[in-house]
Amino acid sequence: MIKEKKTSDDGGTSRDPRNARTTAADSDLPLGADGTLELIPDSESERQVLEQEAAEAASKYDAESRIRRAPWRPLALLISAVAIFTALYHLYTAYFGAPPTLIHRSLHVSLILFLVFMLYPPSARATSQWWRIPDAVLAIASLVPWLYIWLNYEEVVLQAGRFTAADIAVASLLVVLVLEAARRVTGWALPILALLFILFGMYGRELPGLLRHRGYDWDTLAYQFFATTEGVFGTAIGVSSTYIFLFILFGAFLAKSGMSQMFNDLALAIAGQSRGGPAKVATLASGFMGSINGSAIANVVSTGAFTIPLMKKIGYSRNFAGAVESSASVGGQVLPPIMGAAAFIMAETIGVPYTTVALAAIVPALLYYVSLIAQIHLRATRMGLKGIAKENLPDVLGVLKERGHLMLPLVFLLYMLFFSGRTILYSAFLTILVTIAVAMLRRTSRMSLRDLLQALEDGTRSALGVAVACASVGVIVGVVTISGFGVTLASAIVQLSGGVLFWTLVMTMLACLVLGMGLPSIPAYIVTATMAAPALTTLGVEPLVAHLFVFYFGLFANITPPVALAAFAASGISGGKPMATGGAAFKLASAGFVIPYMFVYNPDLLLRDVDLITGVTVVASALLAVLLLGVALEGHFMVPMAWYLRIVLAVGAVMMLSADILYDVVGAVLVVAVLGVQLLKARSAGKLSIRAI
């Protein structure tokens, strides 16, 4: 936590903390009127104010945060009770086992839909309490699909496509409820995409060329969505009702114990004093939290409320501050061990152990964060920015002494996942219990019964957006499966690219960026994995490599204009311009657009079946390449770099990534030449020093 001391521009004196608070509307200037650097005091009231401002700003772009409150206490208690029951049900099934697949998944969906209709208004303008009546009707109707499957389970499972009028009526109700819930929670993008696919499935005979297929009537599609495991109750909801829900619940218990505060304090202690320290703090804290919570926008709101004002205060512009927070938050979902729960879906989809996915994703994720920190550091050097004075920062040992015990659940989770041989569900269940027990060790993290119940409720509420999105994606996947559209799209991409791997990668990247627009990361991955990944496997790319490739680009659609939701949310907190923040985030995350190409052409980067020497060599060359790309993007190495030298350096860095020795040599020559020119310029300017980098 930042100590409430006064700080001059060189970090020296003290200041009245009453004037220390900043908001999204503050000036970009790093100094106050009296020449002192203003910091955020570490009081609970100040944090609450900042978090409230961040939540209000971000809600403009994040439909998931627009939850209404129940003014009638019995109604509020009912909602809380259902949310707590939902969490307890999933904990019970994790330990004792779940009922038959369709019953379990349909109950999961029905409970989620019930809560969505009780918590989310039909629109931002629907403020009248009269809306509670139709929403209550929808909430009660949400229980019908589960009740129908539960009461008619054998008939539904054994009828093998011979559906009845009642089946179609319930199936139609389910689809309507799921798409309406998705509209309320995630916005229009996902339900519109699902409706387009429904139309595609129904009118396939009328479509031209590659899009043409036999076409299906509504009854057939409805049955596909409802009574099979290739529709709404498919793989996406299967993972949502198991791994995703439990790990989101785990994150809720960590948050209630104070883990997010520990991440912020630890990041401050490690990086706060360095050049551009608050931006590095934002990167580290957002990476930690992003891996756990699985939502880029939620991560922007939770960590950005604290880090964005600090970045602005030391001199970063509003747009750059928002860009740092959004690009770091998005990157957290490619960071093991949890990867925002996407690792579990990927493992389930391609049929490999979870540990295989997590281990393969480590090096690319670390390269991404190294690139971010390098650009942040170079920007601070170019602008002459400093960090936060040491006396205003927490001490690493102090943070670990106060809250370090909260790391034990993460260590325990890693042990359970990688070494215990237990199932992922059992590991998650035990880790939640360990989190509760460990939190009791210190007064600062101890949870009361009220806190435990609140964590159960918060976990369920946090899972609503992902679960509804997974159910909606089930509609898309159902149409893709029954129509064979995935194979058709893969064939089209390969044909357009002429069967050349590089152009196939480019076409797949563009498809993923479009398909991922406006979608949360997990549904974005499911959509892109279903429709874009087959194009790569057709050309011989390993399934794991192909799925990591589409995951990266589906994810980075969150910071790619024109629909960069994470960047837009960050701009709401920073007071910057949304499109400018998105452009700055795109630039910062540029390494994330190169790294997937790196591991496609050189799978050794994923450290699968490689010897030590090969692994070290590959990682070292990739690390050098992303650092050089960072220099080229920022245009600074000791002294400012001319635009043409930046282009030459970027080309040289990319060429050094090639497996061809000739390209490596040419790339190295270009890099050495550019850096040599910069060294000569630095010497003539009197800045030839390591400190100038």
Side-chain angles (χ1 to χ4, degrees):
M1 57 192 85
I2 297 180
K3 301 174 185 175
E4 295 183 15
K5 289 188 176 181
K6 300 193 196 186
T7 314
S8 64
D9 50 352
D10 61 1
T13 59
S14 68
R15 177 176 177 79
D16 183 351
R18 290 175 299 176
N19 297 323
R21 187 170 65 84
T22 182
T23 69
D26 283 339
S27 167
D28 287 341
L29 294 176
L31 302 180
D34 58 356
T36 59
L37 178 63
E38 298 179 299
L39 295 176
I40 302 174
D42 186 31
S43 69
E44 187 61 28
S45 61
E46 290 290 343
R47 288 183 180 277
Q48 289 176 356
V49 169
L50 288 168
E51 289 171 359
Q52 180 63 29
E53 291 174 348
E56 290 174 358
S59 66
K60 180 179 178 182
Y61 303 101
D62 181 22
E64 194 172 336
S65 65
R66 300 167 192 160
I67 294 178
R68 62 185 171 190
R69 298 184 181 275
W72 191 36
R73 182 165 177 76
L75 180 61
L77 290 175
L78 172 64
I79 294 172
S80 295
V82 174
I84 292 170
F85 168 79
T86 302
L88 292 175
Y89 167 74
H90 285 83
L91 287 172
Y92 175 88
T93 56
Y95 186 79
F96 292 103
T101 300
L102 277 181
I103 293 177
H104 174 61
R105 295 180 183 180
S106 62
L107 178 56
H108 172 75
V109 171
S110 287
L111 289 171
I112 294 296
L113 291 177
F114 180 92
L115 289 170
V116 166
F117 289 119
M118 296 303 290
L119 288 169
Y120 289 86
S123 72
R125 298 178 180 178
T127 56
S128 172
Q129 291 303 314
W130 285 106
W131 282 104
R132 290 282 183 185
I133 297 175
D135 286 347
V137 173
L138 291 175
I140 295 171
S142 299
L143 302 177
V144 171
W146 164 69
L147 284 171
Y148 185 84
I149 289 177
W150 181 44
L151 295 174
N152 302 278
Y153 179 69
E154 290 188 4
E155 291 83 351
V156 171
V157 171
L158 298 177
Q159 60 194 1
R162 297 186 299 274
F163 40 79
T164 65
D167 294 337
I168 303 308
V170 175
S172 302
L173 174 66
L174 174 66
V175 172
V176 171
L177 292 172
V178 164
L179 296 187
E180 169 58 14
R183 184 193 66 81
R184 296 187 183 202
V185 179
T186 67
W188 282 100
L190 192 53
I192 287 177
L193 186 62
L195 287 172
L196 289 175
F197 269 88
I198 290 174
L199 293 175
F200 169 77
M202 294 179 66
Y203 298 102
R205 290 180 182 273
E206 318 300 327
L207 297 174
L210 290 172
L211 296 177
R212 184 180 177 85
H213 63 91
R214 60 174 288 185
Y216 300 89
D217 58 26
W218 171 248
D219 289 359
T220 303
L221 290 178
Y223 182 85
Q224 171 84 353
F225 299 147
F226 172 69
T228 73
T229 54
E230 294 179 339
V232 172
F233 304 133
T235 300
I237 276 296
V239 178
S240 170
S241 64
T242 50
Y243 310 133
I244 293 176
F245 192 96
L246 282 179
F247 279 98
I248 290 176
L249 193 59
F250 169 55
F253 277 97
L254 284 181
K256 186 59 69 174
S257 68
M259 173 64 85
S260 58
Q261 181 62 49
M262 193 210 71
F263 280 151
N264 281 338
D265 289 347
L266 193 59
L268 273 170
I270 293 171
Q273 193 179 3
S274 63
R275 292 176 191 166
K280 296 174 183 176
V281 169
T283 302
L284 295 176
S286 298
F288 287 142
M289 291 304 298
S291 178
I292 295 172
N293 66 18
S295 170
I297 296 179
N299 200 15
V300 165
V301 174
S302 59
T303 58
F306 172 69
T307 58
I308 287 176
L310 275 182
M311 285 187 272
K312 291 168 58 182
K313 281 301 176 184
I314 69 161
Y316 285 117
S317 71
R318 298 176 178 184
N319 296 332
F320 188 78
V324 169
E325 181 57 49
S326 56
S327 55
S329 295
V330 167
Q333 287 154 97
V334 299
L335 183 65
I338 299 176
M339 297 171 65
F344 306 110
I345 299 182
M346 194 176 298
E348 191 86 7
T349 302
I350 59 182
V352 300
Y354 153 79
T355 52
T356 300
V357 175
L359 291 173
I362 288 177
V363 172
L366 293 180
L367 289 175
Y368 176 74
Y369 276 98
V370 166
S371 172
L372 281 184
I373 292 174
Q375 290 183 69
I376 288 166
H377 180 84
L378 290 168
R379 175 70 62 97
T381 302
R382 179 161 60 86
M383 297 175 65
L385 304 182
K386 299 183 181 299
I388 301 170
K390 184 176 181 179
E391 59 266 27
N392 289 327
L393 292 173
D395 176 64
V396 173
L397 292 179
V399 173
L400 293 178
K401 181 180 178 181
E402 182 72 16
R403 296 183 183 269
H405 62 290
L406 296 177
M407 297 293 289
L408 292 176
L410 293 177
V411 174
F412 180 79
L413 175 63
L414 291 176
Y415 166 76
M416 291 297 295
L417 291 176
F418 287 92
F419 304 109
S420 71
R422 297 282 190 167
T423 65
I424 295 173
L425 282 180
Y426 185 75
S427 300
F429 173 81
L430 279 187
T431 303
I432 291 173
L433 296 184
V434 168
T435 302
I436 297 171
V438 167
M440 298 300 176
L441 297 177
R442 297 297 299 269
R443 183 187 297 268
T444 54
S445 59
R446 194 167 298 151
M447 290 183 276
S448 64
L449 177 60
R450 179 185 291 271
D451 290 331
L452 294 175
L453 294 176
Q454 188 64 55
L456 291 169
E457 182 177 354
D458 289 347
T460 299
R461 289 191 178 208
S462 298
L464 295 181
V466 175
V468 167
C470 286
S472 300
V473 165
V475 175
I476 298 171
V477 173
V479 176
V480 170
T481 302
I482 199 171
S483 67
F485 180 68
V487 176
T488 301
L489 182 60
S491 175
I493 291 175
V494 172
Q495 286 186 26
L496 286 172
S497 62
V500 178
L501 179 59
F502 175 77
W503 294 114
T504 303
L505 292 172
V506 172
M507 295 293 295
T508 304
M509 175 188 72
L510 295 175
C512 291
L513 290 175
V514 172
L515 291 170
M517 283 184 180
L519 300 184
S521 58
I522 291 175
Y525 162 67
I526 297 171
V527 171
T528 54
T530 302
M531 292 187 281
L536 301 182
T537 55
T538 299
L539 294 182
V541 178
E542 290 184 53
L544 175 58
V545 177
H547 280 252
L548 279 174
F549 184 90
V550 300
F551 177 52
Y552 264 74
F553 288 114
L555 183 65
F556 284 120
N558 277 284
I559 51 173
T560 305
V563 189
L565 292 184
F568 292 173
S571 72
I573 302 171
S574 69
K577 297 179 179 178
M579 288 302 293
T581 301
F586 178 81
K587 178 183 174 183
L588 265 176
S590 293
F593 290 82
V594 175
I595 290 169
Y597 288 87
M598 293 165 59
F599 60 65
V600 167
Y601 281 104
N602 193 351
D604 288 345
L605 194 62
L606 304 182
L607 301 183
R608 299 179 65 208
D609 302 322
V610 297
D611 57 75
L612 180 62
I613 295 177
T614 302
V616 171
T617 303
V618 168
V619 172
S621 61
L623 181 61
L624 178 61
V626 297
L627 288 173
L628 291 171
L629 281 174
V631 172
L633 288 166
E634 279 303 317
H636 186 88
F637 184 75
M638 295 189 177
V639 292
M641 184 179 294
W643 65 269
Y644 51 87
L645 291 179
R646 295 168 66 179
I647 294 175
V648 173
L649 183 63
V651 171
V654 172
M655 292 181 72
M656 288 176 64
L657 295 172
S658 172
D660 190 315
I661 188 65
L662 178 61
Y663 283 102
D664 286 344
V665 171
V666 173
V669 169
L670 293 176
V671 167
V672 170
V674 172
L675 296 183
V677 171
Q678 287 300 113
L679 291 173
L680 291 174
K681 287 183 177 181
R683 187 174 69 174
S684 64
K687 295 184 177 180
L688 188 59
S689 168
I690 294 295
R691 292 179 176 273
I693 298 178

